[in-house]
Amino acid sequence: MSIKKVIRDWMLPIAMVAGAAIYLIYHAMPAPVHKAGPFLNQAAGIIQPLLIFSMLFLTFCRIEPKDLKPHRWHWWLLLIQGGLFTMLGLGAYAIISHLPDSGHNHVILIECAMLCLICPTATAAAVVTRKLGGDVAGITTYTILINMLAAVLVPLMVPLIQPVAGLGFWVAFSMILAKVFPLLIMPCLAAWLVRYLMPKFHKRILETPDLAFYIWAVSLTLAIAVSMKYLMASVLGMAMIGLMALVSLVCCVFQFAMGRYVGNKYKPRRPDVDPEVERRGREVRKVTAGQSLGQKNTVFAIWLGYTFMTPETALVGGLYSIWHNIYNSWQLYKAGK
């Protein structure tokens, strides 16, 4: 087995270990080295969006504009995410309003679950979905839809739990939109301009199918390093961090399982579909819906946590990132076998 194949097959675990090791090495260095911390934070804040933009640009280059259309399973997944987020938000509001002495930690754990549920699909999910044989256009469409839903539901629900003076619906909505638009809509427009105005360059992009996967590996390394930073800097006790890890694990397992369940139950409207074709289509939908609901944009979850909710909840985005990438590593290994 060649080294190149080993690296390709185990890219996700390698990236995760590398990201954790990079931050732990930095953390163990002498204090003078830590003066570079603000610069490194600033660099990460620039590099990460560029990597996300590049991945989405490469993904959109492979999708015909006419293929970006909603399917029935999209609406079921939106109902699941939006409905559970709303129910938890109302539950947290009831605890704060009627049981003020119930403890601050209860609300934090509910907020963690809310973040895990409403967090939009990861921009890299299309890369993994293509590797697993799923529908890239389907998951890309859902990524757009869930970002739109999150932009509406988060400003509606968060003020009930964490009211902030001057942070009304439109302010919060515009903040989320400003975070989402450049990294979701602009790559789409750029890819379609390249498709129609620069066909030779577009053809060269299509000839490098694994480029987005390797960019994602770099992005994952950086994301795990950022997650380690939040974990090491957390002032929460180990018991609370353990509970947050459990909440994120339960949400991760539930969403992957529910997504696959919905994808498996969805059937085409035409009754004359060949059974073998339907079986293959069902497998494609299971993969696509599972990744749509389970693989999250955890960088966005971290930002939502420290911007709109109790700041400590930002840690749950990093914890969820570990779980969904472990599962994706196993899926890719199984698919490779």
Side-chain angles (χ1 to χ4, degrees):
M1 185 180 293
S2 66
I3 296 178
K4 182 179 180 181
K5 187 177 187 308
V6 171
I7 293 175
R8 186 174 65 248
D9 291 346
W10 295 93
M11 180 61 74
L12 267 67
I14 291 172
M16 293 175 67
V17 172
I22 287 171
Y23 184 78
L24 291 175
I25 291 171
Y26 166 78
H27 187 73
M29 285 183 173
V33 178
H34 293 177
K35 293 180 179 179
F39 170 76
L40 294 174
N41 281 334
Q42 187 177 8
I46 296 173
I47 295 172
Q48 189 80 353
L50 290 176
L51 293 173
I52 292 172
F53 184 98
S54 301
M55 283 187 290
L56 271 181
F57 170 75
L58 293 171
T59 298
F60 279 119
C61 280
R62 296 182 173 277
I63 300 174
E64 292 281 355
K66 62 183 177 62
D67 293 334
L68 291 176
K69 55 185 179 182
H71 299 284
R72 279 186 290 168
W73 62 264
H74 286 147
W75 308 120
W76 281 109
L77 297 191
L78 290 171
L79 179 63
I80 291 169
Q81 281 197 257
L84 290 175
F85 173 79
T86 303
M87 289 171 59
L88 286 171
L90 294 175
Y93 176 69
I95 291 174
I96 294 171
S97 302
H98 304 293
L99 301 170
D101 299 328
S102 61
H104 182 59
N105 289 347
H106 292 77
V107 177
I108 290 180
L109 292 176
I110 293 177
E111 288 181 358
C112 287
M114 292 174 68
L115 283 173
C116 292
L117 290 168
I118 198 58
C119 182
T121 307
T123 50
V127 179
V128 180
T129 301
R130 187 173 68 83
K131 283 282 186 182
L132 296 174
D135 178 11
V136 175
I139 196 171
T140 304
T141 302
Y142 186 76
T143 302
I144 296 171
L145 293 174
I146 188 56
N147 274 281
M148 294 169 60
L149 181 64
V152 174
L153 283 184
V154 171
L156 284 175
M157 296 304 302
V158 168
L160 296 177
I161 311 168
Q162 296 289 343
V164 178
L167 190 64
F169 172 82
W170 290 111
V171 175
F173 177 79
S174 61
M175 289 174 67
I176 296 175
L177 207 62
K179 190 80 172 177
V180 168
F181 181 83
L183 297 181
L184 195 65
I185 306 302
M186 295 304 293
C188 175
L189 298 178
W192 290 346
L193 285 174
V194 168
R195 174 184 290 271
Y196 295 114
L197 301 180
M198 305 171 67
K200 291 184 178 179
F201 180 56
H202 181 257
K203 183 180 178 182
R204 291 289 300 273
I205 291 174
L206 298 183
E207 291 171 352
T208 54
D210 288 333
L211 180 58
F213 182 70
Y214 291 115
I215 292 175
W216 177 45
V218 177
S219 177
L220 176 59
T221 302
L222 187 57
I224 293 296
V226 172
S227 299
M228 286 299 299
K229 170 194 167 186
Y230 278 98
L231 185 60
M232 298 290 288
S234 175
V235 296
L236 296 172
M238 290 304 299
M240 189 61 184
I241 293 176
L243 289 172
M244 292 172 69
L246 180 61
V247 168
S248 61
L249 175 61
V250 170
C251 289
C252 183
V253 172
F254 169 79
Q255 290 182 106
F256 272 111
M258 182 57 67
R260 292 180 67 86
Y261 175 80
V262 170
N264 187 53
K265 286 294 182 182
Y266 169 81
K267 294 182 179 179
R269 297 180 186 276
R270 296 171 298 163
D272 57 340
V273 176
D274 181 84
E276 179 61 21
V277 173
E278 165 55 17
R279 186 191 66 80
R280 294 176 184 175
R282 184 174 294 170
E283 287 299 318
V284 170
R285 290 190 298 273
K286 281 172 63 178
V287 169
T288 309
Q291 295 302 127
S292 296
L293 200 59
Q295 188 174 348
K296 300 295 189 181
N297 183 355
T298 52
V299 175
F300 188 73
I302 292 171
W303 176 78
L304 278 179
Y306 70 69
T307 303
F308 296 105
M309 297 188 177
T310 308
E312 290 88 342
T313 59
L315 179 60
V316 82
L319 295 170
Y320 193 101
S321 176
I322 296 171
W323 301 129
H324 82 193
N325 282 302
I326 289 174
Y327 180 65
N328 281 336
S329 300
W330 177 79
Q331 287 191 107
L332 290 170
Y333 171 76
K334 186 179 177 182
K337 294 280 285 187

